[in-house]
């Protein structure tokens, strides 16, 4: 990890755009810029205020123009890094960007390493570690839900929440430590019942954050949704409908979707990872059996299960109760866990009478939707059912959702230490040992925001950033 005060330069935008931004930060950023930039106006950069934009040209050592650019100037401490900074918006050619960076280096800057701008922002105290990680998530966000979570984290929502808990714990440990000074008198500054109340409340708070990680994962990776059902029930056709394009292979021969197909779909601002599984039926075919085994493993990992039933296998004169019984039998075989959401989809409703479908629906419990994947009838309801599930998941979690495995691990460790403190208190643990346990909780919470950190941890986090971040 580099803790230097030299001036760094890098391109902050991906290649291929109409405009690129070259970013420079450090003590000499403005004087270096002055050597390579010829303003159109009369103002010298060295005299310009922060937050000002300047039109002009970047020139090489011989005064030959490299590009017409707009240069934005930031003065310390009011910049992303807290240092004097320059952003040069130039034309988005890799050649031009390369020339500008080269010129900056010739004038005294150094090529930035991965995440070095954000590292400097962290070291300058502009943002804490959780916020820095929020910046990375923000850049990686692909839909409304991940964007909202990352924005909250980047703006310090999560950090503020943690700081509140940390302050409370610091207060408790200070009270306990005060008791040590008066050990002879055997006074209790921290009333044990109140202490227990506060600690239990903090533990519930931490538990909520820990629990939010599975949602955080679901938001980041997409809510795992498995489409299951008998071969030929119309699973691939349904997936295609949802995708609005023919990507999964649709076939008349039963059992052709041997392998699982996974697609990512954004519905109502939330990403779903929809897995079209191999049809479930008993078979002697080894390959097909392998597909079915994979179906069950996708099924176990799914948050949402769409069970597709083929209505055309029943005839209108059949008793709807028999059909319902067969469906219920399949549902039992799925062995879903309590937290999984099942939607039963009666497909191919275009092949049977509305009366039969209505009778069948009447016999089934839970969420049942009637569709024709072929004609598109009822697809809207599938989409809105999925949107509702996502809505409910995010509403339950609140604004702070843990999305990083690093934070999750720290929270688990914090809860573990807190559990020990609570246990110790119940067993009459002396104040100094109790305070020690509480300090452990504080330590783990501190690792999230970076109050407590090592160069190694910082290196690990920031090396995942790209250059220019
Ligand atoms: P999968 O094996 O469950 O993935 O089934 P497919 O999606 O490959 O569909 C099997 C057959 O059923 C294909 O010929 C589809 O065109 C047909 N199919 C799917 N959905 C419907 C539907 O709603 N109505 C009708 N009539 N046929 C459908």
């Amino acid at each position: 990890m580099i803790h230097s005060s030299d001036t760094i330069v890098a391109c902050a935008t991906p290649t291929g755009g109409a405009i690129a931004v070259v970013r420079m930060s450090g003590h000499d950023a403005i004087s270096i810029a002055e050597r390579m930039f010829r303003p159109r106006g009369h103002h010298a950069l060295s005299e310009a205020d922060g937050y000002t934009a300047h039109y002009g040209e970047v020139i090489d050592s011989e005064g030959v123009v490299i590009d017409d650019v707009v240069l934005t100037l930031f003065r310390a401490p009011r910049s992303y890094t807290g240092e004097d900074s320059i952003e040069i918006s130039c034309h988005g050619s890799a050649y031009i960007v390369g020339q500008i960076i080269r010129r900056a280096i010739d004038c005294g800057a150094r090529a930035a390493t991965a995440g070095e701008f954000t590292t400097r922002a962290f070291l300058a105290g502009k943002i804490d570690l959780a916020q820095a990680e929020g910046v990375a998530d923000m850049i990686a966000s692909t839909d409304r839900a991940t964007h909202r979570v990352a924005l909250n984290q980047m703006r310090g929502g999560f950090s503020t929440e943690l700081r509140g808990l940390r302050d409370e714990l610091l207060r408790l440990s200070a009270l306990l430590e005060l008791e040590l000074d008066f050990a002879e008198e055997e006074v209790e500054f921290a009333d044990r019942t109140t202490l227990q109340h506060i600690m239990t409340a903090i533990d519930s708070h931490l538990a909520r954050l820990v629990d939010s990680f599975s949602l955080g994962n679901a938001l980041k990776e997409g809510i795992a949704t498995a489409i299951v059902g008998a071969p030929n029930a119309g699973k691939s056709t349904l997936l295609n409908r949802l995708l609005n394009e023919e990507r999964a292979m649709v076939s008349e021969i039963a059992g052709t979707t041997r392998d699982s197909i996974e697609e990512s779909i954004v519905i109502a601002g939330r990403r779903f990872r929809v897995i079209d599984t191999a049809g479930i039926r008993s078979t002697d075919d080894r390959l097909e059996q392998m597909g079915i085994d994979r179906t069950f493993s996708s099924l176990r990992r799914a948050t949402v299960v769409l069970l597709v039933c083929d209505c055309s296998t029943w005839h209108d004169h059949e008793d709807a109760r028999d059909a319902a019984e067969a469906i219920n039998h399949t549902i039992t075989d799925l062995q879903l866990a309590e937290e999984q959401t099942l939607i039963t989809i009666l497909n191919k409703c275009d092949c049977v009478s509305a009366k039969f479908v209505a009778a069948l629906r009447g016999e089934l419990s839970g969420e049942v939707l009637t569709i024709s994947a072929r004609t598109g009838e009822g697809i809207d309801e599938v989409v809105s059912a999925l949107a509702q599930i996502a809505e409910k998941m995010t509403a339950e979690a609140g604004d702070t959702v843990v999305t990083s495995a690093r934070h999750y691990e720290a929270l688990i460790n914090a809860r573990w230490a807190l559990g020990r403190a609570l246990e110790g208190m119940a067993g009459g643990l002396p104040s100094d040992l109790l305070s020690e346990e509480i300090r452990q909780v504080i330590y783990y919470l501190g690792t999230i925001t970076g109050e407590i950190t090592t160069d190694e941890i910082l290196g690990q986090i920031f090396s995942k950033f790209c250059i220019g971040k």
Side-chain angles (χ1 to χ4, degrees), residues 198-454:
I198 298 173
M199 280 160 67
T200 314
I202 293 176
D203 189 49
S204 321
H205 197 138
L206 293 180
R208 189 185 65 68
L209 291 174
V210 166
D211 288 346
S212 76
F213 184 56
S214 58
L215 171 67
N217 244 350
L219 294 182
K220 230 175 182 171
E221 309 294 331
I223 300 168
T225 306
I227 305 183
V228 296
N232 252 355
K235 298 180 295 298
S236 311
T237 316
L238 169 61
L239 176 63
N240 285 337
R241 274 279 165 197
L242 290 172
L243 281 170
N244 255 335
E245 55 183 283
E246 299 280 314
R247 215 174 302 169
M249 182 177 55
V250 179
S251 140
E252 299 276 355
I253 313 151
T256 41
T257 313
R258 285 205 166 119
D259 230 322
S260 299
I261 294 173
E262 191 174 313
E263 293 287 354
S264 182
I265 310 176
V266 176
I267 293 173
R270 271 72 166 210
R271 181 167 300 282
F272 286 79
R273 203 156 32 86
V274 185
I275 305 142
D276 176 13
T277 64
I280 308 166
R281 64 167 182 181
S282 39
T283 176
D284 292 333
D285 183 322
R286 239 187 82 242
L287 262 181
E288 196 182 344
Q289 187 55 47
M290 280 164 70
I292 294 171
D293 291 347
R294 269 195 294 274
T295 296
F296 275 98
S297 95
S298 308
L299 194 59
R300 275 191 291 280
R301 278 179 275 122
T303 306
V304 181
V305 176
L306 305 178
L307 171 63
V308 181
C309 308
D310 182 350
C311 284
S312 72
T313 54
W314 297 295
H315 298 288
D316 288 349
H317 58 266
E318 272 182 65
D319 193 337
R321 260 175 299 183
D322 292 341
E325 198 176 312
I327 293 174
N328 284 330
H329 198 74
T330 310
I331 295 175
T332 314
D333 284 350
L334 294 178
Q335 296 184 350
L336 298 181
E338 205 182 309
E339 63 274 12
Q340 292 182 297
T341 306
L342 171 75
I343 302 177
T344 307
I345 294 179
L346 305 177
N347 187 32
K348 304 196 192 179
C349 67
D350 54 300
C351 297
V352 278
S353 71
K355 198 167 149 235
F356 176 78
V357 173
L360 181 53
R361 282 189 76 141
E363 294 294 329
L364 293 166
S365 56
E367 175 140 32
V368 183
L369 300 174
T370 311
I371 66 160
S372 167
R374 182 175 273 178
T375 66
E377 193 186 330
I379 296 296
D380 286 356
E381 277 136 71
V382 178
V383 169
S384 66
L386 290 173
Q388 263 176 31
I389 292 169
E391 190 65 49
K392 193 162 161 263
M393 281 170 76
T394 31
E396 275 166 8
D399 264 350
T400 309
V401 176
V402 175
T403 52
S404 142
R406 190 182 78 80
H407 300 170
Y408 176 71
E409 199 184 321
L411 289 166
I412 292 276
N413 284 331
R415 275 202 80 197
W416 203 53
L418 193 60
R420 275 198 316 259
L422 275 162
E423 246 173 58
M425 201 159 57
L429 197 70
S431 338
D432 54 342
L433 296 179
L434 204 52
S435 167
E436 189 52 42
E437 297 291 12
I438 293 177
R439 292 254 164 215
Q440 277 290 308
V441 186
I442 296 169
Y443 167 83
Y444 287 120
L445 296 184
T447 61
I448 298 179
T449 45
E451 265 114 355
I452 292 137
T453 191
T454 62

Side-chain angles (χ1 to χ4, degrees), residues 4 23 41 43 52 85 88 94 97 103 106 110 120 125 137 143 196 227 232 242 293 338 344 378 399 411 422 433 467:
S4 55
R23 181 184 223 193
H43 294 296
T52 52
S85 299
I88 298 173
V97 168
R103 181 77 182 119
D106 287 346
R110 166 174 69 71
R120 289 187 173 200
D137 286 351
D143 55 70
Q196 196 196 2
I227 305 183
N232 252 355
L242 290 172
D293 291 347
E338 205 182 309
T344 307
D399 264 350
L411 289 166
L422 275 162
L433 296 179
I467 291 170

